[in-house]
């Protein structure tokens, strides 16, 4: 017992020394008492001297059996932790004990002993699992769940125990283990032991993985499962570094099989929108599984597997089965989903692009090719363009590939029927720019014209458009039927921007003529005022430059003397100012305002020149036959019939036809209607519009083709002049590059032959496919 007081200072000195930081006061006193030399002994008498602390001359020794007794304590503590009972010793005391042992080079032995204790405990755990009944059948899913809970509890207990053990042996972990890179840390050692003795056991591993897969399968089929249990078990596999080899491979194989079968089955059973909705739901579910309990590394292969089996294997089938319906019905949300899903799969966008293009071509062709739809063709094209634009913007995220392919597809189908779309677009523009078009404000009209220009861009034969547009523009300008000069000029500038100044030069010339005519008429009015006999008729003349305007066939009619006199007066006036010019009167384009008296009172009629000539006859008599009118006026037969129809069979019946009927026949008699009544004072009597005859359309188209021939000839001569000698194929290729309208190889060949006949070029004597320019 007498030795005990001496042990304590040794132990406390040991503690103080090994910490290497501070020493307790008792140790300082011991140092003063036991240290030879050093000057510490006189510290109490001389305050000026410093206190110096020195190490022991001899290293203190551990008491006998200290190592063994201390390990016994630690062993008991570890056992208590593993058995989940309370530890007899203070944790700080146990930590201190480990520190003491490590300080005296017992670390290696201590580590081995600790490992052995942990290993024995883990080995003992395996028995409870090996004997556990377990079956993979769905009826025995309860057994699998109990097994999984048991293995999870074992793992949770093991983790908790290793945390406690490590906190006691922390000094060992941070000194000896850290300095030996070959040794695993105490935590890693615990993982290694659990992996080697529990999870690496084939039977246990198979039971665990089978159970996890069964739970996931049940969840996929719609049942509720314990997700926290799955998260804990998969986290265990991940921590033990067996997740990939033991679980992930089998999980992906089963997922592959499940979705392959599901894809095949649902493609047969469901409509495309429902199927795509299901695919989206499955992808969201699998994404949620990754977030909730699967390891993050599984995300990429798992999602790829779902995409491949539910989408990748059925891309073409999905589009063939449902894309046309989605587009026809304009199902925006379903199309958006289709695009998003197809964009996830390799090659998905490309297949979607192909079907998108085919749909546009097929749908567009039905609009363009069917002559019965000509009346509404342009409006349908505009509506279709709006629809596909909206789909690209909202569903396809303004993808450039879809935009470009849409343009190509429009260009393909709109030119399947040459010339007609160009003609109808010109007429559509005419209907919008004509006066009386109340349906659109200026802003709306501008928007419509912009849309028209987009369709116009797709057309190859723009010269056909120009010919019909020019014809309609002439009517609008000459009859004063244009809704808005600003809108006309806006359309002209759009055409100029699109096709260049050469395209619109004649159209611009027509506007120029109208403006010059106004100036001429101001001068003519002044000229007439200076005449001795100005006359009762107020004459307005539009002077048209022949090259700018459409070609009109002149018709010789019998004007009355006053009209002829006025014509001569104007001719004298105009040629006096512009010598060398020739005036040709276009009677078909003339119109007049006539004053008339009826029993009801006075009226004014806005009528064409032909209607004027017929009505003026009734100043001479009340009744005339068709033949008499024809003889007196000199109007061409069909034109006269239409004129009489408008006066006797229309809404404003100034003449009465005998016998009654809609059509004018030979021998019909016409009587002046003195009882004519109308609520308006000034009445416009429209000429019965002869629907544009096939002949008229053909003649316009033929004029276009004639112009094209001149352009082809000019292009050939231009190329040959520059190249001097050229092969046939190269010449044709060059012509295709230069000409802005579609042309067939046969037509080019004819023009080449024509130029050879006219000595502009010649064939090579040895090679008939070679041409030489003849200067």
């Amino acid at each position: 017992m007498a030795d005990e007081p001496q042990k304590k200072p040794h132990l406390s000195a040991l503690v103080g020394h090994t910490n290497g930081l501070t020493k307790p006061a008792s140790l300082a006193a011991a140092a003063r008492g036991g240290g030879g030399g050093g000057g510490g002994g006189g510290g109490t008498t001389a305050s000026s001297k410093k206190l110096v602390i020195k190490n022991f001359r001899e290293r203190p020794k551990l008491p006998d059996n200290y190592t063994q007794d201390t390990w016994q304590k630690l062993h008991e503590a570890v056992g208590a932790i593993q058995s989940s009972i309370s530890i007899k010793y203070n944790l700080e005391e146990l930590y201190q004990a480990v520190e003491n042992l490590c300080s005296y080079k017992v670390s290696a032995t201590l580590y081995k002993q600790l490992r052995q204790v942990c290993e024995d405990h883990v080995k003992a755990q395996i028995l409870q699992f090996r004997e556990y009944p377990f079956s993979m059948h769905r009826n025995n899913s309860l057994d699998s769940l109990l097994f999984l809970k048991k293995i999870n509890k074992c793992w949770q207990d093991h983790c908790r125990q290793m945390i406690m053990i490590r906190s006691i042996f922390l000094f060992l972990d941070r000194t000896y283990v850290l300095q030996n890179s070959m040794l695993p840390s105490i935590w890693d050692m615990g993982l290694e032991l659990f992996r080697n003795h529990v999870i690496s056991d084939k039977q246990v591993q198979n039971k665990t993985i089978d159970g996890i897969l069964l739970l996931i399968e049940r969840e996929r089929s719609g049942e509720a499962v314990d997700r926290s249990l799955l998260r804990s078990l998969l986290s265990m596999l991940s921590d033990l570094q067996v997740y990939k080899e033991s679980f992930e491979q089998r999980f992906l194989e089963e997922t592959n099989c499940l979705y392959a079968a599901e894809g095949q089955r649902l493609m047969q059973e469901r409509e495309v929108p429902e199927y795509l909705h299901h695919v989206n739901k499955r992808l969201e579910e699998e994404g949620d599984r990754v977030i909730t309990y699967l390891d993050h590394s599984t995300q990429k292969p798992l999602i790829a597997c779902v995409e491949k089996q539910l989408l990748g294997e059925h891309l073409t089938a999905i589009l063939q089965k449902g894309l046309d319906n989605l587009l026809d019905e304009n199902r925006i949300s379903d199309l958006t989903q289709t695009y998003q899903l197809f964009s996830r799969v390799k090659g998905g966008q490309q297949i979607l692009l192909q079907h998108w293009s085919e749909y546009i071509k097929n749908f567009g062709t039905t609009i363009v090719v069917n002559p019965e739809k000509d009346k509404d063709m342009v409006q349908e094209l505009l509506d279709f363009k709006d629809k596909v634009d909206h789909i690209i913007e909202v569903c396809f995220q303004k993808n450039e590939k879809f935009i470009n392919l849409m343009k190509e597809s429009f260009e393909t189908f709109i030119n399947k029927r040459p010339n007609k779309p160009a003609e109808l677009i010109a007429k559509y523009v005419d209907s919008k720019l004509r006066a009386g078009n109340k349906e659109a404000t200026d802003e709306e009209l501008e928007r419509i014209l912009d849309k028209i220009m987009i369709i116009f861009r797709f057309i190859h034969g723009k010269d056909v458009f120009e010919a019909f547009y020019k014809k309609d523009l002439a009517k609008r300008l000459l009859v004063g039927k244009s809704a808005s000069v600003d809108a006309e000029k806006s359309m002209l500038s759009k055409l100029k921007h699109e096709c260049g100044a050469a395209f619109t030069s004649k159209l611009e010339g027509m506007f120029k003529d109208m403006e010059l005519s106004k100036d001429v008429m101001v001068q003519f009015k002044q000229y007439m005022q200076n005449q001795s006999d100005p006359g009762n008729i107020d004459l307005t003349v539009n002077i048209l430059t022949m090259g700018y305007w459409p070609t009109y066939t002149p018709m010789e009619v019998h004007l009355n003397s006053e009209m002829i006199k006025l014509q001569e007066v104007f001719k004298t006036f105009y040629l006096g100012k512009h010598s060398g010019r020739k005036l040709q009167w276009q009677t078909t384009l003339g119109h007049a305002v006539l004053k008339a008296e009826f029993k009801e009172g006075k009226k004014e009629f806005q009528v064409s020149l032909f209607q004027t000539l017929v009505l003026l006859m009734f100043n001479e008599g009340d009744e005339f036959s068709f033949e008499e009118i024809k003889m007196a006026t000199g109007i061409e037969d069909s034109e006269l019939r239409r004129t009489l129809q408008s006066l006797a069979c229309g809404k404003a019946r100034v003449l009465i036809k005998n016998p009654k009927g809609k059509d004018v026949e030979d021998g019909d008699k016409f009587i002046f209607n003195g009882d004519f009544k109308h609520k308006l004072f000034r009445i416009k009597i429209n000429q019965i519009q002869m629907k544009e005859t096939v002949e008229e359309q053909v003649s316009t188209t033929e004029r276009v083709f004639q112009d094209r021939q001149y352009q082809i000839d000019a292009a050939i001569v231009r190329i040959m002049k520059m190249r001097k000698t050229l092969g046939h194929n190269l010449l044709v290729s060059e012509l295709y590059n230069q000409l802005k309208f579609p042309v067939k190889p046969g037509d080019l060949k004819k023009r080449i032959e024509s130029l050879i006949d006219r000595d502009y070029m010649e064939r090579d004597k040895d090679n008939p496919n070679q041409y030489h320019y003849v200067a």
Side-chain angles (χ1 to χ4, degrees), residues 509-565:
M510 291 162 73
F511 280 97
K512 200 172 176 183
D513 278 352
M514 295 305 290
E515 284 163 17
L516 287 172
S517 295
K518 285 178 188 171
D519 296 339
V520 170
M521 289 322 296
V522 171
Q523 294 167 11
F524 180 63
K525 294 275 190 296
Q526 291 170 351
Y527 175 80
M528 287 300 287
Q529 284 169 4
N530 299 328
Q531 295 294 308
S532 56
D533 182 16
N536 299 324
I537 302 173
D538 187 9
L539 177 68
T540 304
V541 182
N542 288 317
I543 299 99
L544 315 180
T545 308
M546 226 164 173
Y548 295 158
W549 297 76
T551 309
Y552 299 108
T553 310
M555 191 186 293
E556 289 296 329
V557 292
H558 305 152
L559 301 176
N560 66 19
S561 56
E562 284 187 59
M563 288 181 182
I564 293 168
K565 183 185 170 189

Coordinates of all heavy atoms in Angstrom, one line a residue, residues 509-565:
G509 N -43.7 51.4 -112.8 CA -44.0 52.2 -113.9 C -45.5 52.5 -114.0 O -45.9 53.6 -114.4
M510 N -46.3 51.5 -113.6 CA -47.8 51.7 -113.7 C -48.2 52.8 -112.7 O -49.1 53.6 -113.0 CB -48.5 50.3 -113.3 CG -48.3 49.3 -114.4 SD -48.6 47.6 -113.8 CE -50.4 47.6 -113.7
F511 N -47.6 52.8 -111.5 CA -47.9 53.8 -110.5 C -47.5 55.2 -111.0 O -48.2 56.2 -110.9 CB -47.2 53.5 -109.2 CG -48.0 52.5 -108.3 CD1 -47.6 51.2 -108.4 CD2 -49.1 52.9 -107.6 CE1 -48.3 50.2 -107.6 CE2 -49.7 51.9 -106.8 CZ -49.4 50.6 -106.8
K512 N -46.3 55.2 -111.7 CA -45.8 56.4 -112.2 C -46.7 57.0 -113.3 O -47.0 58.2 -113.3 CB -44.4 56.1 -112.8 CG -43.5 57.4 -113.0 CD -42.1 56.9 -113.4 CE -41.3 58.1 -113.7 NZ -39.9 57.8 -114.1
D513 N -47.2 56.1 -114.1 CA -48.2 56.5 -115.2 C -49.4 57.2 -114.6 O -49.9 58.2 -115.1 CB -48.6 55.3 -116.0 CG -47.6 54.9 -117.1 OD1 -46.7 55.7 -117.3 OD2 -47.8 53.9 -117.7
M514 N -49.9 56.6 -113.5 CA -51.2 57.1 -112.9 C -50.9 58.5 -112.3 O -51.8 59.4 -112.4 CB -51.6 56.2 -111.8 CG -52.1 54.8 -112.2 SD -53.4 54.8 -113.5 CE -54.8 55.4 -112.6
E515 N -49.7 58.7 -111.7 CA -49.4 60.0 -111.2 C -49.2 61.0 -112.3 O -49.7 62.2 -112.2 CB -48.2 59.9 -110.3 CG -48.4 59.2 -108.9 CD -47.2 58.8 -108.2 OE1 -46.1 59.2 -108.6 OE2 -47.3 57.9 -107.3
L516 N -48.5 60.6 -113.4 CA -48.3 61.5 -114.5 C -49.7 61.9 -115.1 O -49.9 63.1 -115.6 CB -47.4 60.9 -115.5 CG -45.9 60.8 -115.1 CD1 -45.1 60.0 -116.1 CD2 -45.3 62.2 -115.0
S517 N -50.6 60.9 -115.2 CA -51.9 61.2 -115.8 C -52.6 62.2 -115.0 O -53.3 63.1 -115.6 CB -52.7 59.9 -115.8 OG -52.1 58.9 -116.7
K518 N -52.5 62.2 -113.7 CA -53.2 63.3 -112.9 C -52.7 64.6 -113.3 O -53.4 65.6 -113.5 CB -52.9 63.0 -111.4 CG -53.7 61.9 -110.9 CD -53.4 61.6 -109.4 CE -54.1 60.4 -108.9 NZ -53.6 60.0 -107.5
D519 N -51.3 64.8 -113.4 CA -50.8 66.1 -113.8 C -51.2 66.5 -115.2 O -51.6 67.7 -115.4 CB -49.2 66.0 -113.8 CG -48.7 65.7 -112.4 OD1 -49.4 65.9 -111.5 OD2 -47.5 65.2 -112.3
V520 N -51.3 65.5 -116.1 CA -51.7 65.8 -117.5 C -53.2 66.3 -117.5 O -53.5 67.3 -118.2 CB -51.6 64.6 -118.4 CG1 -52.3 64.8 -119.8 CG2 -50.1 64.2 -118.6
M521 N -54.0 65.7 -116.6 CA -55.4 66.1 -116.6 C -55.6 67.5 -116.0 O -56.5 68.2 -116.4 CB -56.2 65.0 -115.8 CG -56.4 63.7 -116.5 SD -56.6 63.8 -118.3 CE -58.2 64.7 -118.4
V522 N -54.8 67.9 -115.1 CA -54.8 69.2 -114.6 C -54.6 70.2 -115.7 O -55.3 71.2 -115.9 CB -53.8 69.4 -113.4 CG1 -53.7 70.9 -113.0 CG2 -54.2 68.6 -112.2
Q523 N -53.5 69.9 -116.5 CA -53.2 70.8 -117.7 C -54.3 70.8 -118.7 O -54.6 71.8 -119.3 CB -51.9 70.3 -118.3 CG -50.7 70.5 -117.4 CD -49.5 69.7 -117.9 OE1 -49.4 69.2 -119.0 NE2 -48.4 69.6 -117.0
F524 N -54.9 69.6 -118.9 CA -56.0 69.5 -119.9 C -57.2 70.3 -119.5 O -57.9 70.9 -120.4 CB -56.3 68.0 -120.1 CG -57.4 67.7 -121.1 CD1 -57.2 68.1 -122.5 CD2 -58.7 67.2 -120.8 CE1 -58.2 67.9 -123.4 CE2 -59.7 67.0 -121.7 CZ -59.4 67.3 -123.0
K525 N -57.5 70.3 -118.2 CA -58.7 71.0 -117.7 C -58.5 72.5 -118.0 O -59.4 73.2 -118.5 CB -58.9 70.8 -116.2 CG -59.2 69.4 -115.8 CD -60.7 69.2 -115.9 CE -61.2 67.9 -115.2 NZ -60.7 66.7 -115.9
Q526 N -57.2 73.0 -117.8 CA -56.9 74.4 -118.1 C -57.0 74.7 -119.6 O -57.6 75.7 -120.0 CB -55.5 74.7 -117.6 CG -55.4 74.7 -116.1 CD -53.9 74.8 -115.6 OE1 -53.0 74.7 -116.4 NE2 -53.7 75.0 -114.3
Y527 N -56.6 73.7 -120.4 CA -56.6 73.8 -121.8 C -58.1 73.9 -122.3 O -58.4 74.8 -123.2 CB -55.9 72.6 -122.4 CG -56.0 72.5 -123.9 CD1 -55.1 73.2 -124.8 CD2 -56.9 71.7 -124.6 CE1 -55.1 73.1 -126.1 CE2 -56.9 71.5 -125.9 CZ -56.1 72.3 -126.7 OH -56.1 72.2 -128.1
M528 N -58.9 73.1 -121.7 CA -60.3 73.1 -122.1 C -61.1 74.4 -121.8 O -61.9 74.9 -122.5 CB -61.1 71.9 -121.5 CG -60.7 70.6 -122.0 SD -61.1 70.4 -123.8 CE -62.9 70.3 -123.8
Q529 N -60.7 75.0 -120.6 CA -61.3 76.3 -120.2 C -61.0 77.4 -121.3 O -61.8 78.3 -121.4 CB -60.8 76.7 -118.8 CG -61.4 75.8 -117.7 CD -60.8 76.1 -116.4 OE1 -59.9 76.9 -116.3 NE2 -61.2 75.3 -115.4
N530 N -59.9 77.3 -121.9 CA -59.5 78.3 -122.9 C -60.1 78.0 -124.3 O -59.9 78.8 -125.2 CB -58.0 78.3 -123.1 CG -57.3 78.7 -121.7 OD1 -57.9 79.5 -121.0 ND2 -56.1 78.2 -121.5
Q531 N -60.8 76.9 -124.4 CA -61.5 76.6 -125.7 C -62.8 77.4 -125.8 O -63.5 77.6 -124.8 CB -61.8 75.1 -125.8 CG -60.6 74.2 -125.8 CD -59.7 74.4 -127.1 OE1 -60.2 74.3 -128.2 NE2 -58.4 74.6 -126.8
S532 N -63.2 77.7 -127.0 CA -64.4 78.5 -127.3 C -65.6 77.6 -127.0 O -66.6 78.1 -126.4 CB -64.4 79.0 -128.7 OG -64.3 77.8 -129.6
D533 N -65.5 76.3 -127.2 CA -66.7 75.4 -127.0 C -66.2 74.2 -126.1 O -65.8 73.2 -126.6 CB -67.2 74.9 -128.3 CG -68.5 74.0 -128.1 OD1 -69.0 74.0 -126.9 OD2 -68.8 73.2 -129.0
P534 N -66.2 74.4 -124.7 CA -65.6 73.3 -123.9 C -66.5 72.1 -123.9 O -66.0 71.0 -123.6 CB -65.6 73.9 -122.5 CG -66.4 75.2 -122.5 CD -66.6 75.6 -124.0
G535 N -67.7 72.1 -124.3 CA -68.6 71.0 -124.3 C -69.2 70.6 -122.9 O -68.8 71.1 -121.9
N536 N -70.2 69.7 -123.0 CA -70.9 69.3 -121.7 C -70.2 68.1 -121.0 O -70.5 67.8 -119.8 CB -72.3 68.9 -122.0 CG -73.1 70.1 -122.6 OD1 -72.8 71.2 -122.3 ND2 -73.9 69.8 -123.6
I537 N -69.4 67.4 -121.7 CA -68.8 66.2 -121.1 C -67.4 66.5 -120.5 O -66.6 67.1 -121.0 CB -68.6 65.1 -122.2 CG1 -69.9 64.7 -122.9 CG2 -68.0 63.8 -121.6 CD1 -69.8 63.8 -124.1
D538 N -67.3 66.0 -119.2 CA -66.1 66.1 -118.5 C -65.2 64.9 -118.7 O -65.5 63.8 -118.3 CB -66.4 66.3 -117.0 CG -65.2 66.6 -116.2 OD1 -64.1 66.9 -116.8 OD2 -65.2 66.6 -114.9
L539 N -64.1 65.0 -119.5 CA -63.3 63.9 -119.9 C -62.1 63.7 -119.0 O -61.4 64.7 -118.6 CB -62.8 64.1 -121.3 CG -61.9 63.0 -121.9 CD1 -62.6 61.7 -122.1 CD2 -61.3 63.5 -123.2
T540 N -61.9 62.5 -118.5 CA -60.6 62.1 -117.8 C -59.9 61.0 -118.5 O -60.6 60.0 -118.9 CB -61.0 61.7 -116.3 OG1 -61.7 62.7 -115.7 CG2 -59.7 61.4 -115.5
V541 N -58.6 61.2 -118.7 CA -57.9 60.2 -119.5 C -56.7 59.7 -118.7 O -56.0 60.5 -118.0 CB -57.4 60.8 -120.8 CG1 -56.6 59.8 -121.7 CG2 -58.5 61.4 -121.6
N542 N -56.4 58.4 -118.7 CA -55.2 57.8 -118.1 C -54.3 57.4 -119.3 O -54.7 56.7 -120.1 CB -55.5 56.6 -117.3 CG -56.2 57.0 -116.0 OD1 -55.8 57.9 -115.3 ND2 -57.2 56.2 -115.6
I543 N -53.1 58.0 -119.3 CA -52.1 57.7 -120.3 C -51.2 56.6 -119.8 O -50.5 56.7 -118.8 CB -51.3 58.9 -120.7 CG1 -52.2 60.0 -121.3 CG2 -50.3 58.5 -121.8 CD1 -52.5 61.1 -120.3
L544 N -51.3 55.4 -120.5 CA -50.6 54.2 -120.1 C -49.4 53.9 -121.0 O -49.6 53.9 -122.2 CB -51.5 53.0 -120.0 CG -52.9 53.2 -119.4 CD1 -53.7 51.9 -119.4 CD2 -52.8 53.7 -118.0
T545 N -48.2 53.7 -120.4 CA -47.0 53.3 -121.2 C -47.2 51.9 -121.6 O -47.3 51.0 -120.7 CB -45.7 53.5 -120.4 OG1 -45.8 54.9 -119.9 CG2 -44.5 53.3 -121.3
M546 N -47.1 51.6 -122.9 CA -47.5 50.2 -123.3 C -46.7 49.1 -122.7 O -47.2 48.1 -122.3 CB -47.3 50.2 -124.9 CG -48.4 49.5 -125.6 SD -48.4 49.9 -127.3 CE -49.7 48.8 -127.9
G547 N -45.4 49.3 -122.5 CA -44.5 48.3 -122.0 C -44.8 47.9 -120.5 O -44.5 46.8 -120.1
Y548 N -45.4 48.9 -119.8 CA -45.6 48.6 -118.3 C -46.8 47.8 -118.0 O -46.9 47.0 -117.1 CB -45.7 50.0 -117.6 CG -44.5 50.8 -117.6 CD1 -44.5 52.2 -117.3 CD2 -43.2 50.2 -117.8 CE1 -43.4 53.0 -117.3 CE2 -42.1 51.0 -117.8 CZ -42.2 52.4 -117.5 OH -41.0 53.2 -117.5
W549 N -47.9 48.0 -118.9 CA -49.2 47.5 -118.6 C -49.5 46.2 -119.3 O -48.8 45.9 -120.3 CB -50.3 48.6 -119.0 CG -50.1 49.8 -118.2 CD1 -49.2 50.8 -118.3 CD2 -50.9 50.2 -117.0 NE1 -49.4 51.8 -117.4 CE2 -50.4 51.4 -116.6 CE3 -52.0 49.6 -116.4 CZ2 -51.0 52.1 -115.5 CZ3 -52.6 50.3 -115.3 CH2 -52.1 51.5 -114.9
P550 N -50.5 45.4 -118.8 CA -50.8 44.2 -119.5 C -51.2 44.5 -121.0 O -51.7 45.7 -121.2 CB -52.0 43.6 -118.7 CG -51.9 44.3 -117.4 CD -51.3 45.6 -117.6
T551 N -51.2 43.6 -121.8 CA -51.6 43.8 -123.2 C -53.1 43.7 -123.3 O -53.7 42.7 -122.9 CB -51.0 42.7 -124.1 OG1 -49.6 42.7 -123.8 CG2 -51.2 43.0 -125.6
Y552 N -53.7 44.8 -123.8 CA -55.2 44.8 -124.0 C -55.5 44.7 -125.5 O -54.9 45.4 -126.3 CB -55.8 46.0 -123.4 CG -55.6 46.2 -121.9 CD1 -54.7 47.1 -121.4 CD2 -56.2 45.4 -121.0 CE1 -54.4 47.2 -120.0 CE2 -56.0 45.5 -119.6 CZ -55.1 46.4 -119.2 OH -54.9 46.5 -117.8
T553 N -56.5 43.9 -125.8 CA -56.9 43.8 -127.3 C -57.8 45.0 -127.6 O -58.9 45.2 -126.9 CB -57.7 42.5 -127.5 OG1 -56.9 41.4 -127.0 CG2 -57.9 42.3 -129.0
P554 N -57.4 45.9 -128.5 CA -58.2 47.1 -128.8 C -59.5 46.6 -129.5 O -59.5 45.7 -130.3 CB -57.4 47.9 -129.7 CG -56.3 47.0 -130.2 CD -56.2 45.9 -129.3
M555 N -60.6 47.3 -129.1 CA -61.9 47.0 -129.7 C -62.5 48.2 -130.3 O -62.7 49.2 -129.6 CB -62.9 46.4 -128.6 CG -64.1 45.8 -129.2 SD -65.3 45.3 -128.0 CE -64.5 43.9 -127.2
E556 N -62.8 48.2 -131.6 CA -63.4 49.3 -132.3 C -64.9 49.4 -132.1 O -65.6 48.4 -132.4 CB -63.1 49.2 -133.8 CG -61.6 49.5 -134.2 CD -61.1 50.9 -133.9 OE1 -62.0 51.8 -134.0 OE2 -59.9 51.0 -133.6
V557 N -65.4 50.5 -131.4 CA -66.8 50.6 -131.2 C -67.3 51.9 -131.8 O -66.4 52.8 -132.1 CB -67.1 50.5 -129.7 CG1 -66.9 49.2 -129.2 CG2 -66.4 51.6 -128.9
H558 N -68.6 52.1 -131.9 CA -69.1 53.3 -132.5 C -69.5 54.3 -131.4 O -70.5 54.2 -130.8 CB -70.4 53.0 -133.4 CG -70.1 52.0 -134.4 ND1 -71.1 51.1 -134.9 CD2 -68.9 51.6 -135.1 CE1 -70.5 50.3 -135.8 NE2 -69.2 50.6 -135.9
L559 N -68.5 55.3 -131.2 CA -68.8 56.3 -130.2 C -69.7 57.4 -130.8 O -69.8 57.6 -132.0 CB -67.5 57.0 -129.8 CG -66.4 56.0 -129.2 CD1 -65.1 56.8 -128.9 CD2 -66.9 55.4 -127.9
N560 N -70.4 58.1 -129.9 CA -71.2 59.2 -130.5 C -70.4 60.4 -130.8 O -69.2 60.5 -130.4 CB -72.4 59.5 -129.5 CG -71.9 60.1 -128.2 OD1 -70.8 60.6 -128.2 ND2 -72.8 60.1 -127.2
S561 N -70.9 61.3 -131.5 CA -70.1 62.4 -132.1 C -69.4 63.3 -131.0 O -68.3 63.7 -131.2 CB -71.0 63.3 -133.0 OG -72.1 63.8 -132.2
E562 N -70.1 63.5 -129.9 CA -69.5 64.3 -128.8 C -68.3 63.7 -128.3 O -67.3 64.3 -128.0 CB -70.5 64.6 -127.7 CG -71.6 65.6 -128.1 CD -72.5 66.0 -126.9 OE1 -71.9 66.4 -125.9 OE2 -73.7 65.7 -127.0
M563 N -68.3 62.3 -128.1 CA -67.2 61.6 -127.6 C -66.0 61.7 -128.6 O -64.9 61.9 -128.2 CB -67.6 60.1 -127.3 CG -68.5 59.9 -126.1 SD -68.8 58.2 -125.9 CE -69.9 58.2 -124.5
I564 N -66.3 61.5 -129.9 CA -65.3 61.5 -130.9 C -64.6 62.9 -130.9 O -63.4 63.0 -131.0 CB -65.9 61.1 -132.3 CG1 -66.3 59.7 -132.2 CG2 -64.8 61.3 -133.4 CD1 -67.2 59.2 -133.4
K565 N -65.4 63.9 -130.8 CA -64.9 65.3 -130.8 C -63.9 65.5 -129.6 O -62.8 66.0 -129.8 CB -66.1 66.3 -130.7 CG -65.7 67.7 -130.8 CD -66.9 68.6 -130.6 CE -66.4 70.1 -130.4 NZ -67.5 71.0 -130.0

